[in-house]
Structures are given as C-alpha cells and as structure tokens.
Amino acid sequence: MRKHLIFIALVIVVSFASCNIKKPEKKLAQKKSPNIILMIGDGMGLSELSSTFYYGEGESNFLRFDEIGFINTSSADSKITDSAAGATSLASDTKTYNGAIGLDADSISTPTLVEVLSKINYNTALLATSSITHATPAAFYAHVKNRNMQNEIAEQMVNSDIDFFAAGGLKFFQNRQDGKNLMAALSDKGFVVNDTLNQNYNMDKKYAFLLADDGMPAILKGRGDFLPEYTQHAIDYLTASDKPFFMMVEGSQIDWGGHDMNADYLISEMLDFDKTVGVALDFAEKDGNTLLVVLGDHETGGFTLGADNGNYNKIKPVFSTTSHSATLIPVFAYGPGADNFKGIYQNSEIFNKIMMMAK
Ligand code: MG
Ligand code: ZN
C-alpha cells in the first residue's frame, strides 16, 4: 500500500515536472536582443595568447571557444595600426588613420557601438586597465582628432551614453589645469562615483569607478583581480536591468609589456586577461543569450615563444620590436551569431557582425 502511494506521488511529481519543461517555448518567442561582450587584449597576437597555454596555472579559457577567425588590423594610412585606429575600427564601421579616435579617414565623426546600441535600448559598460581616456576605451565614446587629447576625451565621457565604467584616469577628471571639475560633472549626469561596491545597484543611477591617477597598476605591481572582479560587478549591475547590454573589457597592458619587451609583464597581463575571459564566458554560458567576442587590436613586440638555445623543451620568450606588428590577429566568439566571426576579414567588419545580432 505504502509503495503504491509513493508510486502515485512520483507520477504526480513527474507530470508536474514535464508541464514545467514546456514553459521555455513561450520565453523563447519573446527573446530579447542578445547581450554583447567585446573583450580586447591590447597587443594580443597569437604568441601572446599562446602563452596562456604554457604559463597559466589552469587550462586556458581560450580552449573553450569553437568559433575562431582572424582579422587584418592595418589602418587606413599604415600597414601597422596604432591602438587608436585599431580601436576605432572595432568600435565603428570604418578604417581610419593612426591616432584617430572615433573619426573616419576624412576626420568625420563615426558612430560607435556604444552610441548605436544605446539608441536601441542597450545599457553599456566599459572596463580597462589603462585610464578610461586611453585610446582603446576612448574610441567607444569619444570623437577627437588625436588620442593625446585626453582632457577633451574625459569631457566627452561625462556626456556619453555609458552606464558603468571602471578604469584609471582620475587626473583627467580632477585637479585639471583648466580648473574644470569633471568629478562633479559626472555626479550631475547621474553617476555614482567610486562607490563602495555592494550588490544593491540603483538602476536609476550610473556608476563610475576611477581607481588610479592614470593607468591602473600592472599585475606585477599589485593590481590584483581588478579586471575579473569589476567585470563581474559590471555583469551584476547590467543584469539587474531588463534591458540587454553591451560591455567592452580591455586588457590594456598586454601591449605595454610588449613595448617594454618585458616577457614577465606581458605574460602576467595576458594571464589576467585570460582569467577575465573566463568570468565573461561563465556568464555567457549560463545566460544563453550573450554574444561574447574576444580579440586583439593588433600585436605588440613581435613576440614569439622560441626555443631556449636550441632546447626544444624549454621556451624562451623573444621580442623582435618595441613597436606594433602587422601579423593577423585571432578572434574568438561564443553565443548567438558566433559563427559569423569565422574566416579571415578586416577589423572594420567586426562592427557589422555585432550589429547583425543586436537588431
Ligand atoms: Mg589600449
Ligand atoms: Zn601599443
């Protein structure tokens, strides 16, 4: 008798469970536009990326991608791009001259992913380990003739559509030579500035984290888990809203290690970026409606993982230049529309591949 009752109870539970299984169909029909996370390793070519396989503690997060392509990163005026033209070509639908931020080759302002996506109801976030006014993040919200115009870029950030940002760059917002107090201006525009972090984000507010005077400290100088942690905070803030979001996360200092021809600097920044890719990928896998694209803007240092004195079982990182190089750059994609990122194409095609999915 008792066995009988348990059997009936089981049948009821199982039939309820199968009722529940049908629910997602309705949800699928009303699916919102996908979230988009674009991650840029500044200076990240194939050898930089490969270092995560030889120097990382766990498995490289790049192993988790199936959809892989390559971009040509040449700028409008040079075979080898700088980070301003490189980022402008990722943030907008155009190639431009080295040094340009958010302008095309004729110096005409070009709409950025942040601007276009904000207009179709996306919330937006930017994170970098440089200052927020540095070339790569700047190309997503600013329009100036030269990347060195960081005071102007800071003013354009105040008036931008960005909802959350975390990076260095305090000196471009306070104690400026022109006397402008952009910290107050940020508050006036609805930003909570340098809040203590908690999970109770006010969605009527925007959040600004300016955590260093200029660039953030290097990993080797104690930056810790800033990038993976604030990437998680940004995801927590953005997912507290019903709106879809766009987020750009830059590992800015892989490039700086390359310019310095400092393998320890480069590899430690690369491993930090890999860890941050893991945070974004964990979210994208759980969410199921997030397109994650990870790429470099160009390679720096002509970096290779050579054999140490002919010993094929010992790697010696080698640099061939203190500048950027022209090598093709890998692109990794996950989520809705990821297969569009396969093949070999121009960096300026990334914008449209992303926008195809955002509509
Ligand atoms: Mg950069
Ligand atoms: Zn560089």
Side-chain angles (χ1 to χ4, degrees):
M1 181 64 189
R2 196 150 171 213
K3 260 189 185 165
H4 217 77
L5 273 179
I6 290 172
F7 177 71
I8 291 168
L10 254 176
V11 167
I12 291 169
V13 167
V14 168
S15 29
F16 265 105
S18 55
C19 278
N20 281 341
I21 285 168
K22 284 184 180 159
K23 267 189 181 163
E25 274 177 32
K26 199 178 163 196
K27 218 178 164 186
L28 216 67
Q30 327 166 314
K31 214 170 181 180
K32 67 174 187 177
S33 300
N35 304 313
I36 294 153
I37 304 177
L38 177 63
M39 301 186 69
I40 304 176
D42 196 318
M44 186 182 75
L46 203 46
S47 288
E48 284 81 357
L49 174 92
S50 304
S51 69
T52 64
F53 287 77
Y54 299 103
Y55 297 93
E57 276 169 20
E59 283 207 323
S60 169
N61 283 296
F62 289 94
L63 271 176
R64 298 165 64 185
F65 292 91
D66 291 326
E67 313 289 1
I68 298 158
F70 284 96
I71 46 171
N72 179 307
T73 64
S74 294
S75 67
D77 68 351
S78 304
K79 292 190 180 71
I80 299 175
T81 190
D82 81 324
S83 289
T88 298
S89 294
L90 297 173
S92 300
D93 177 18
T94 187
K95 297 259 186 191
T96 190
Y97 61 91
N98 284 359
I101 299 286
L103 305 180
D104 68 15
D106 298 320
S107 296
I108 294 169
S109 199
T110 174
T112 73
L113 282 171
V114 162
E115 292 159 355
V116 174
L117 290 170
S118 294
K119 283 206 181 81
I120 57 170
N121 211 31
Y122 273 68
N123 284 331
T124 59
L126 295 183
L127 295 98
T129 55
S130 61
S131 70
I132 195 67
T133 52
H134 210 263
T136 313
F140 285 81
Y141 63 87
H143 305 272
V144 294
K145 288 205 162 82
N146 192 284
R147 58 185 291 171
N148 297 329
M149 300 162 70
Q150 292 192 71
N151 281 330
E152 285 84 349
I153 291 169
E155 289 181 50
Q156 293 187 26
M157 166 50 90
V158 173
N159 296 306
S160 76
D161 298 316
I162 309 288
D163 298 292
F164 182 111
F165 70 89
L170 265 173
K171 71 174 186 182
F172 303 106
F173 291 81
Q174 67 184 14
N175 305 326
R176 289 164 47 126
Q177 280 195 342
D178 63 10
K180 288 183 186 168
N181 180 356
L182 298 190
M183 298 300 268
L186 281 172
S187 305
D188 290 346
K189 290 283 181 180
F191 279 99
V192 177
V193 185
N194 288 353
D195 194 21
T196 48
L197 284 164
N198 60 56
Q199 300 301 312
N200 304 315
Y201 292 109
N202 178 350
M203 291 314 293
D204 296 331
K205 287 285 183 188
K206 313 204 287 179
Y207 287 83
F209 296 93
L210 285 162
L211 302 175
D213 207 34
D214 198 345
M216 296 293 292
I219 283 287
L220 296 176
K221 299 209 168 133
R223 185 171 80 240
D225 281 335
F226 158 77
L227 198 60
E229 281 180 10
Y230 276 77
T231 296
Q232 186 61 56
H233 290 311
I235 289 171
D236 292 344
Y237 167 71
L238 293 164
T239 53
S241 160
D242 290 335
K243 293 184 182 183
F245 69 79
F246 169 78
M247 171 161 71
M248 193 288 290
V249 182
E250 187 200 17
S252 319
Q253 300 192 30
I254 302 163
D255 174 70
W256 301 356
H259 285 294
D260 284 1
M261 290 186 154
N262 180 336
D264 289 341
Y265 188 2
L266 184 153
I267 292 166
S268 57
E269 293 296 334
M270 189 61 232
L271 294 177
D272 178 62
F273 187 65
D274 178 24
K275 192 179 201 175
T276 310
V277 167
V279 170
L281 203 43
D282 287 349
F283 168 74
E285 285 175 353
K286 234 186 294 157
D287 181 63
N289 192 29
T290 296
L291 169 62
L292 170 63
V293 180
V294 185
L295 40 56
D297 55 348
H298 56 73
E299 195 276 339
T300 307
F303 183 65
T304 52
L305 301 172
D308 190 6
N309 250 330
N311 179 353
Y312 276 22
N313 207 24
K314 199 170 173 222
I315 291 170
K316 186 183 181 192
V318 184
F319 295 90
S320 65
T321 174
T322 57
S323 306
H324 297 175
S325 74
T327 186
L328 294 180
I329 296 298
V331 179
F332 298 79
Y334 176 87
D339 55 343
N340 296 327
F341 292 84
K342 290 194 286 199
I344 300 181
Y345 47 94
Q346 298 295 332
N347 55 358
S348 51
E349 293 175 57
I350 294 286
F351 177 95
N352 283 319
K353 289 178 189 292
I354 287 176
M355 288 309 299
M356 262 164 61
M357 298 311 300
K359 280 171 187 159

